[in-house]
Amino acid sequence: MDEIRTIKEAQEGSRAALNKLLTDNYGILKGYLIKITCDSSLAQDITQETMLRAVQNIKRFHEGAKFSTYLITIATNLYRDYIRKNKRIESLPDDLESGIEGPEELSVKGIEYREAVRIIKALPYEKRAVFILKHYYGYSYEEISEILKCPIGTVRSRLHYCIEHIRNEMEKEGFI
Amino acid sequence: MHNCKKVREILIDSMYGESDVKDVKKYIEECPECRKFTEDLGVISEKMDILDADPPVNISDIVNTLDMAEKIEAGKKLKFEAVCFAVCALLITAAYAVLSIGFGTSFVIITQGIMFLCLPAVLIPVIIKRGAEEGAR
């Protein structure tokens, strides 16, 4: 309810309302982009571009949708365009912000963290997007199909592929 | 009747709240491979959760974006107004020239007078509107 009111105020031109919407959803947006691009500086660029597009097109936002979904949809489209232009789907740099500090954490969690990044990076972009949206952000199959503009069946099969891939990789590394 | 592939799909769906395992519960209990798969899903979820943290909010990013959006919007508005002004000026000048030829000098003097008298009636509402827009920002 509160978000709907804030969106309405933003559509009427309130800067404070736009500021609140962006502040509330900044973490989700940038977190999603960091995970999907595996590149902090690219994630930063797309985050800013996404927020700019969202602000410029706020009047086209349809009631009923979540603002975070609106941002994620724009971000996904921008990243898809970026991949098309740069043709660098699989050559992602190893540059995810970890938030892991201290030597002890680096030795144990750091290895697990790098392994998780390596596994996620090995997934093709469309499949990686499905896994991230489902696993980290809890979107339903229907919502993911709307964000990625593909059928629900495709979303489901992509997620199954991701889990099988992750399982195989973890088995190889001896995690399971 | 289930097979392992189908059961595994149901297990993945159920891990993400998209399906219910109760129909395949008996099958899982009897199939060691599917039981192992269930355990593996738990480990996968736990291990992959290490990437779950989202970055903190960067206020300056948001402020810069809002400033940039306002700048772009103002630029667009200015461009639109300039085009409107040019078109209107062209049309008025053309119409005025045609009418001046037809009606002579007296028409020019009378219309000039009317224009100067009407000018505040046009400018004041525009200035008030601009002021209100600035205030809303």
Side-chain angles (χ1 to χ4, degrees):
Chain A
M1 274 309 271
D2 193 36
E3 190 180 82
I4 295 169
R5 204 175 54 230
T6 314
I7 290 167
K8 214 158 199 172
E9 285 171 13
Q11 286 176 326
E12 285 161 8
S14 163
R15 186 183 162 116
L18 279 170
N19 199 344
K20 184 175 172 14
L21 285 170
L22 294 178
T23 306
D24 290 349
N25 294 284
Y26 183 90
I28 298 172
L29 173 65
K30 198 169 178 190
Y32 168 71
L33 282 166
I34 287 173
K35 287 179 195 87
I36 202 154
T37 61
C38 300
D39 180 344
S40 303
S41 68
L42 177 61
Q44 172 68 20
D45 291 347
I46 302 180
T47 300
Q48 285 213 311
E49 186 61 28
T50 303
M51 291 195 295
L52 185 62
R53 296 260 179 117
V55 171
Q56 287 180 316
N57 298 306
I58 188 72
K59 283 182 182 159
R60 286 188 218 160
F61 179 82
H62 299 296
E63 261 182 50
K66 281 190 284 181
F67 192 73
S68 58
T69 310
Y70 173 60
L71 289 175
I72 295 279
T73 307
I74 298 172
T76 305
N77 291 337
L78 285 172
Y79 183 54
R80 191 184 288 142
D81 292 346
Y82 175 84
I83 288 172
R84 274 191 203 135
K85 275 181 203 160
N86 294 276
K87 311 253 182 231
R88 52 173 290 244
I89 302 167
E90 300 306 328
S91 60
L92 300 165
D94 193 4
D95 188 25
L96 260 176
E97 285 169 3
S98 70
I100 295 168
E101 287 165 20
E104 224 173 284
E105 273 195 301
L106 264 173
S107 60
V108 185
K109 281 200 172 173
I111 293 166
E112 288 183 1
Y113 186 89
R114 285 207 182 90
E115 191 53 32
V117 172
R118 189 191 64 76
I119 291 170
I120 228 173
K121 269 168 69 177
L123 288 164
Y125 149 73
E126 303 89 354
K127 294 182 172 93
R128 189 164 63 237
V130 171
F131 177 73
I132 291 167
L133 290 170
K134 191 70 189 159
H135 188 82
Y136 298 107
Y137 299 101
Y139 282 102
S140 68
Y141 285 162
E142 202 183 338
E143 286 172 318
I144 298 171
S145 82
E146 279 167 24
I147 291 169
L148 300 175
K149 293 175 187 70
C150 63
I152 291 174
T154 309
V155 171
R156 191 170 177 259
S157 65
R158 281 178 185 172
L159 183 72
H160 294 170
Y161 171 92
C162 290
I163 298 294
E164 289 290 353
H165 167 85
I166 294 167
R167 185 172 178 248
N168 290 339
E169 290 298 311
M170 283 191 171
E171 229 164 26
K172 270 188 223 164
E173 297 300 321
F175 285 116
I176 48 177
Chain B
M1 196 65 188
H2 297 287
N3 61 40
C4 288
K5 192 177 180 293
K6 205 134 189 114
V7 170
R8 286 176 188 195
E9 286 177 359
I10 294 170
L11 282 169
I12 294 169
D13 290 341
S14 94
M15 179 165 87
Y16 292 113
E18 298 277 355
S19 179
D20 201 333
V21 279
K22 68 177 179 206
D23 292 340
V24 293
K25 216 169 179 179
K26 200 163 181 280
Y27 183 92
I28 298 162
E29 279 167 13
E30 287 164 7
C31 173
E33 278 183 27
C34 289
R35 250 198 338 268
K36 167 85 168 58
F37 188 81
T38 314
E39 288 163 15
D40 289 351
L41 284 183
V43 178
I44 288 168
S45 181
E46 193 196 314
K47 295 278 179 200
M48 294 311 286
D49 279 351
I50 201 163
L51 303 178
D52 202 9
D54 284 332
V57 178
N58 185 341
I59 298 292
S60 69
D61 265 5
I62 295 169
V63 172
N64 287 344
T65 304
L66 291 174
D67 288 346
M68 203 187 287
E70 275 177 7
K71 216 171 157 185
I72 293 168
E73 192 57 37
K76 273 186 194 168
K77 206 175 167 189
L78 209 68
K79 210 173 171 183
F80 177 74
E81 282 176 354
V83 170
C84 284
F85 177 78
V87 170
C88 288
L90 204 71
L91 286 173
I92 291 168
T93 310
Y96 198 67
V98 171
L99 291 169
S100 301
I101 293 163
F103 295 103
T105 346
S106 58
F107 170 79
V108 176
I109 294 163
I110 293 165
T111 49
Q112 287 286 336
I114 293 168
M115 268 189 213
F116 279 110
L117 288 171
C118 291
L119 211 59
V122 177
L123 284 180
I124 290 169
V126 170
I127 292 165
I128 291 169
K129 197 182 166 220
R130 285 264 166 100
E133 279 174 5
E134 289 292 319
R137 269 183 225 147

